[in-house]
Amino acid sequence: MGSTFGTLFRISTFGESHGVGVGVVVDGCPPRVPITTEEIQAELDRRRPGQSKIVTQRKEGDRVEILSGVLDGLTLGTSIAMVVRNEDQRSRDYDEMKDKYRPSHADYAYDQKFGIRAWSGGGRASARETIGRVAAGALAKKVLASVGVEVIAYVEKVHGLRAEVDPDTVTQEQVEANIVRCPDPVAAMQMLNHIEAIRKDGNSVGGVIGCVARGVPAGWGEPVFDKLEADLAKAVMSLPACKGFELGSGFGLTDHTGLEVNDEFVADGDRHVSTLTNHSGGINGGISNGMPIVLRAAFKPTATIMHEQRTVTSDHENTTLRGRGRHDPCVLPRAVPMVEAMVALVLVDHMLRQKAIAG
């Protein structure tokens, strides 16, 4: 059911939201990459529930266990298996959802596809599945760091509130300076207050996450179907609640002429090539051009809200449903490490593919 992603650096996630646990198997990670449980845990802590007042209060430690593929802090080059046990399932919150489809959730679609679904907690459609992605992304980040590549994501917009962020200079410390994960402190406070008001009303909001990958050399990616931006789009849009993707200036390019937005090439005294602008977001023809890769991802408002809405039963009879349980009023703060993970997984995969060509 599409649980495997990647070509050379390949991951397969497993587990349901209210099952025994969730995790990932990573194939293709190079040997002798230094990695510790603590480094992976640090990434998982950024996406876990209960970390602040503006996210779901499900109490999960999300403690990762490395089952294979790592010895004395170094990867072995063999399959790496990691698991996180579920601890705080409250399946009773979902009893009514067994026979009623939640509006804008995957319940109805899953039933139509499989004829059965893990109704408690949403099963594989739950954002809890992304634990495996973030754990694998921690590995990918370590491999990328060894060649000078860093990936930083941040909250750029919540509902109608937009931050001012320079992708060329933004730092991880600025992103982690507040619970919204917005590096613009003024906008972050406005976003925080807005999310709090929305939460108290039992409602939800969406927004935009920006992401930059700096240090990517020219030459990563493939022409035609495996274009770098195409793989990035698939990766990011496979995340729960993601409904839009753009690279560089994206849809804004449609408001300009080629003369206004073409990225002109220049060479410095050492014949190092760069572009004067970066409207293309660091990718030409599906291949990186050496400029920062800049992208944005749009996330819809959390589907579960504490208001009565119309829906249908599993017998396709009209009814109503009010949301229950513990849910994020805004998914963006916890989605930041998810976006970073998916971008890192794509980049490390294409790094290895390019290495296979170049030798």
Side-chain angles (χ1 to χ4, degrees):
M1 59 173 290
S3 294
T4 298
F5 181 81
T7 302
L8 295 184
F9 195 102
R10 187 168 59 253
I11 71 168
S12 295
T13 67
F14 60 85
E16 288 83 34
S17 172
H18 282 215
V20 174
V22 292
V24 64
V25 176
V26 181
D27 281 317
C29 183
R32 300 182 300 281
V33 175
I35 192 71
T36 65
T37 302
E38 290 74 22
E39 288 174 303
I40 298 171
Q41 190 62 54
E43 290 297 316
L44 291 177
D45 286 346
R46 298 173 67 213
R47 68 117 276 144
R48 71 175 176 83
Q51 61 183 274
S52 75
K53 62 182 180 180
I54 59 171
V55 304
T56 172
Q57 294 305 296
R58 178 170 172 170
K59 299 302 180 184
E60 296 281 1
D62 285 356
R63 306 307 301 178
V64 65
E65 302 172 44
I66 301 176
L67 304 180
S68 67
V70 178
L71 179 65
D72 296 331
L74 294 175
T75 59
L76 294 171
T78 55
S79 296
I80 299 170
M82 295 178 280
V83 67
V84 167
R85 315 281 177 174
N86 292 330
E87 300 171 345
D88 189 26
Q89 308 99 316
R90 276 182 13 193
S91 298
R92 63 185 181 275
D93 290 339
Y94 295 86
D95 286 346
E96 191 177 7
M97 287 74 159
K98 182 176 182 180
D99 300 311
K100 294 182 179 181
Y101 298 129
R102 295 169 296 172
S104 284
H105 275 278
D107 303 345
Y108 172 75
Y110 265 58
D111 252 0
Q112 297 308 296
K113 181 171 182 62
F114 298 109
I116 188 173
R117 62 187 170 91
W119 53 268
S120 179
R124 292 289 285 167
S126 168
R128 196 146 181 79
E129 176 273 335
T130 62
I131 283 175
R133 307 183 191 212
V134 173
L139 282 167
K141 283 184 173 183
K142 285 302 296 280
V143 178
L144 292 172
S146 70
V147 294
V149 175
E150 64 175 346
V151 179
I152 300 175
Y154 45 87
V155 174
E156 186 174 291
K157 179 183 176 185
V158 169
H159 208 181
L161 302 171
R162 184 179 292 277
E164 293 296 327
V165 184
D166 182 357
D168 290 335
T169 60
V170 65
T171 67
Q172 195 85 70
E173 291 72 24
Q174 291 172 334
V175 174
E176 296 297 321
N178 58 75
I179 60 176
V180 184
R181 292 202 167 91
C182 173
D184 178 341
V186 175
M189 183 56 66
Q190 295 173 337
M191 292 173 180
L192 174 60
N193 292 335
H194 186 53
I195 294 171
E196 266 284 272
I198 289 292
R199 182 188 64 80
K200 291 177 180 177
D201 186 45
N203 209 343
S204 65
V205 289
V208 176
I209 289 178
C211 185
V212 58
R214 298 191 290 247
V216 178
W220 290 7
E222 304 289 343
V224 196
F225 297 116
D226 285 356
K227 289 182 176 179
L228 189 54
E229 67 261 54
D231 281 357
L232 287 168
K234 178 178 180 178
V236 173
M237 290 201 68
S238 71
L239 289 168
C242 187
K243 290 295 183 180
F245 175 92
E246 69 174 5
L247 183 76
S249 296
F251 287 98
L253 293 171
T254 63
D255 295 326
H256 299 277
T257 67
L259 184 60
E260 294 172 314
V261 298
N262 278 354
D263 297 319
E264 298 178 82
F265 288 104
V266 293
D268 61 19
D270 296 323
R271 298 191 179 184
H272 175 264
V273 176
S274 62
T275 60
L276 294 175
T277 53
N278 194 23
H279 296 294
S280 296
I283 301 174
N284 296 132
I287 300 170
S288 60
N289 63 16
M291 296 294 288
I293 294 175
V294 182
L295 59 91
R296 295 175 185 84
F299 286 79
K300 69 175 183 175
T302 314
T304 298
I305 58 175
M306 307 308 158
H307 292 260
E308 190 170 74
Q309 295 181 285
R310 290 178 296 178
T311 188
V312 297
T313 67
S314 54
D315 291 327
H316 296 186
E317 296 177 344
N318 290 318
T319 187
T320 60
L321 179 67
R322 181 186 296 270
R324 296 176 184 171
R326 301 155 294 177
H327 304 278
D328 296 272
C330 178
V331 303
L332 273 76
R334 293 177 62 213
V336 164
M338 301 178 197
V339 171
E340 288 180 1
M342 295 312 297
V343 170
L345 288 168
V346 171
L347 291 178
V348 77
D349 192 44
H350 278 281
M351 181 196 83
L352 294 174
R353 293 168 74 168
Q354 181 62 19
K355 185 176 180 180
I357 293 174

